[in-house]
Amino acid sequence: MLLKFAFQDFLDDRRFKNTTKTNIRNYQTLLGEFISYCIDNEVVNVEDINYSHIKQYLWVCQEKGNQAGTINTKLMRIRAFLNYMVECEVIKNNPAHKVKRQKEDVRIDVFTDEQIRQMLSFYRRIKQREKSYFAYRDYMMIVLILGTGIRRGEIINLTWDDIDFVNHNISVFGKTRRKETIPITSKLSKELSGYNTFCKQHWGNLSKYVFVKRDNTQMTQNAIMLVFSHLQKKMNFKDVRVSAHTFRHTFCHRLAMSGMSAFAIQKLMRHQNITVTMRYVAMWGNELREQNDKYNPLNYLDV
């Protein structure tokens, strides 16, 4: 079967299975690179792909500067595509299963208190000086993520009807594509209420979406990425990337450092698998420090 047709068939199958638009785009980009690589190297049929082609392609990606995490993501996309080809009986075995994942360095960036203060102060100054909706919007997005750990896609789709100001919670459609309830503090509820009042005064006709673009319509993935890209340039932090996900990691970091249980963190972060939560707790939790302070052998030695 010709690769270009197999690739399109695979994408159509993902759409039929109601895969998210974000994942479809990821397949088009990441898997599409591999398909182009194969065709450029005269591998035009699915049946002709072997272990060496996959390994060589990933090696080329590594030479271009791709980190282990990116390499592993590309490998996962290739495996998914070839698994589908096995299901369709185009090939008997998936050669990508023989390719091992690379070991990844476990390093998760989070913001310091000072960095958070700098970013919030930056937007406060603009908001007070210019009465800018966009400064208020971007400020409120940061406060919301820091207070809930909400994901970028959930921010885009958040509506005013999703916010319960009385019971202090918000409803989102998470990665599991189920409606989930997130508790919010009374402080965050007041911040959102004040932002709601400002939006009504600014727009007159309030959009159903909490965060909107210049034309008062729903934000896009690209629009929100531009917000954080702009903030990155303004802050010029050397050791951390300014992104929605870094704010989410910071939320999780503070929960772990506070001594909150892994179970509670899992519920607030809405991780499907607690092993993901445990990775954060093992990295940041204060229990290990407390146990070390209590039982370290040096405590009982005269040194």
Side-chain angles (χ1 to χ4, degrees):
M1 185 176 189
L2 286 172
L3 258 177
K4 61 180 182 179
F5 295 139
F7 179 44
Q8 189 58 54
D9 186 37
F10 173 75
L11 293 177
D12 290 342
D13 178 73
R14 298 300 105 162
R15 294 188 184 96
F16 176 74
K17 291 178 178 175
N18 205 24
T19 301
T20 63
K21 291 181 179 179
T22 300
N23 278 335
I24 293 293
R25 284 195 300 270
N26 287 338
Y27 278 120
Q28 288 174 324
T29 302
L30 300 180
L31 181 58
E33 289 178 5
F34 173 68
I35 300 299
S36 296
Y37 170 84
C38 289
I39 294 173
D40 289 344
N41 285 273
E42 300 181 354
V43 181
V44 295
N45 295 307
V46 178
E47 298 90 334
D48 297 331
I49 297 175
N50 59 38
Y51 167 86
S52 297
H53 296 132
I54 300 167
K55 192 75 176 290
Q56 183 68 20
Y57 165 71
L58 295 177
W59 181 82
V60 170
C61 292
Q62 188 173 10
E63 287 293 297
K64 289 181 179 178
N66 285 182
Q67 299 298 312
T70 304
I71 297 291
N72 290 336
T73 299
K74 290 182 175 182
L75 176 59
M76 286 172 58
R77 297 291 187 269
I78 295 170
R79 283 179 177 174
F81 168 64
L82 294 175
N83 277 339
Y84 176 67
M85 291 294 101
V86 172
E87 291 175 14
C88 294
E89 299 182 349
V90 175
I91 56 177
K92 290 184 178 180
N93 298 299
N94 184 344
H97 286 316
K98 297 179 181 179
V99 183
K100 294 183 179 179
R101 290 169 55 89
Q102 291 190 356
K103 290 185 178 180
E104 299 181 39
D105 294 329
V106 181
R107 180 179 179 271
I108 301 175
D109 292 332
V110 295
F111 296 116
T112 64
D113 287 350
E114 180 58 31
Q115 288 170 333
I116 293 172
R117 279 194 290 268
Q118 286 182 34
M119 289 183 284
L120 293 179
S121 295
F122 168 72
Y123 285 126
R124 282 198 199 100
R125 287 195 300 271
I126 300 175
K127 180 164 65 77
Q128 292 169 0
R129 185 175 66 243
E130 303 175 11
K131 306 298 180 184
S132 167
Y133 162 74
F134 302 104
Y136 202 166
R137 178 199 67 185
D138 299 350
Y139 167 87
M140 199 63 241
M141 279 197 290
I142 289 176
V143 172
L144 182 61
I145 307 174
L146 286 173
T148 62
I150 191 172
R151 298 180 177 94
R152 187 176 63 195
E154 295 165 348
I155 291 173
I156 293 171
N157 293 312
L158 188 68
T159 68
W160 288 113
D161 289 340
D162 293 326
I163 303 175
D164 186 341
F165 290 105
V166 176
N167 297 307
H168 302 309
N169 60 57
I170 60 176
S171 298
V172 298
F173 284 94
K175 290 182 72 174
T176 58
R177 304 176 84 170
R178 294 179 303 179
K179 196 168 188 178
E180 300 175 280
T181 301
I182 304 174
I184 60 175
T185 63
S186 57
K187 180 178 181 179
L188 179 54
S189 184
K190 289 177 182 176
E191 289 274 3
L192 285 166
S193 180
Y195 172 66
N196 176 268
T197 300
F198 180 89
C199 289
K200 288 176 180 176
Q201 294 172 347
H202 179 81
W203 295 109
N205 181 26
L206 186 68
S207 168
K208 75 172 187 176
Y209 293 104
V210 176
F211 302 106
V212 296
K213 298 184 295 183
R214 294 184 181 277
D215 58 356
N216 199 21
T217 59
Q218 182 184 18
M219 292 188 75
T220 62
Q221 288 279 354
N222 186 59
I224 198 170
M225 287 173 67
L226 288 174
V227 168
F228 292 108
S229 176
H230 173 72
L231 184 58
Q232 171 86 61
K233 293 176 182 177
K234 290 294 183 180
M235 294 296 105
N236 195 30
F237 297 143
K238 302 298 183 184
D239 57 343
V240 63
R241 185 170 72 100
V242 178
S243 71
H245 215 61
T246 305
F247 282 105
R248 177 171 160 83
H249 282 153
T250 301
F251 170 73
C252 184
H253 172 253
R254 300 310 166 91
L255 298 182
M257 292 295 286
S258 71
M260 180 181 286
S261 71
F263 178 76
I265 294 174
Q266 181 193 12
K267 292 298 181 184
L268 289 173
M269 291 291 289
R270 291 164 293 122
H271 290 147
Q272 289 180 265
N273 194 326
I274 198 168
T275 57
V276 177
T277 311
M278 290 305 298
R279 184 174 64 172
Y280 292 117
V281 174
M283 192 179 308
W284 295 324
N286 63 8
E287 182 178 346
L288 185 62
R289 180 181 297 276
E290 292 173 354
Q291 295 291 313
N292 181 59
D293 289 344
K294 184 175 181 180
Y295 297 111
N296 194 285
L298 289 180
N299 292 344
Y300 311 102
L301 296 175
D302 185 13
V303 294

